[in-house]
Amino acid sequence: MTVIILTACPEGLRGHLTQWLLEISAGVYVGHVNSRIRQRLWSRVVEMAGPGRALLVYQQPGEQRLCFQVH
């Protein structure tokens, strides 16, 4: 599962994410995508976020079984 949380980001970015993920609350997107799509989505988020903030959480093998990226 992939979760992306946006704060103060442009509307265009939000629209782009809804093509791949479900927006379950304002600025909170969840879904199941493969690692290639997840990395492309994150690259787009970093490129388009501007002064906004973004958080990516996804499954990863290991003790906590989660990985985080913050922009």
Side-chain angles (χ1 to χ4, degrees), residues 33-69:
V33 293
N34 64 37
S35 61
R36 183 178 60 88
I37 299 298
R38 182 183 68 237
Q39 289 301 341
R40 286 186 178 194
L41 286 173
W42 185 245
S43 293
R44 179 70 106 170
V45 167
V46 170
E47 174 185 315
M48 295 181 67
R53 296 180 306 186
L55 172 67
L56 169 66
V57 182
Y58 58 94
Q59 291 178 306
Q60 187 77 8
E63 193 171 313
Q64 294 294 323
R65 298 192 326 193
L66 293 173
C67 191
F68 302 90
Q69 293 185 21

Side-chain angles (χ1 to χ4, degrees), residues 1-49:
M1 178 182 289
T2 299
V3 179
I4 297 177
I5 302 171
L6 302 178
T7 305
C9 290
E11 292 295 321
L13 176 56
R14 296 176 70 181
H16 180 72
L17 289 177
T18 58
Q19 294 175 6
W20 296 95
L21 304 170
L22 297 173
E23 187 173 17
I24 60 170
S25 186
V28 180
Y29 302 86
V30 298
H32 288 279
V33 293
N34 64 37
S35 61
R36 183 178 60 88
I37 299 298
R38 182 183 68 237
Q39 289 301 341
R40 286 186 178 194
L41 286 173
W42 185 245
S43 293
R44 179 70 106 170
V45 167
V46 170
E47 174 185 315
M48 295 181 67

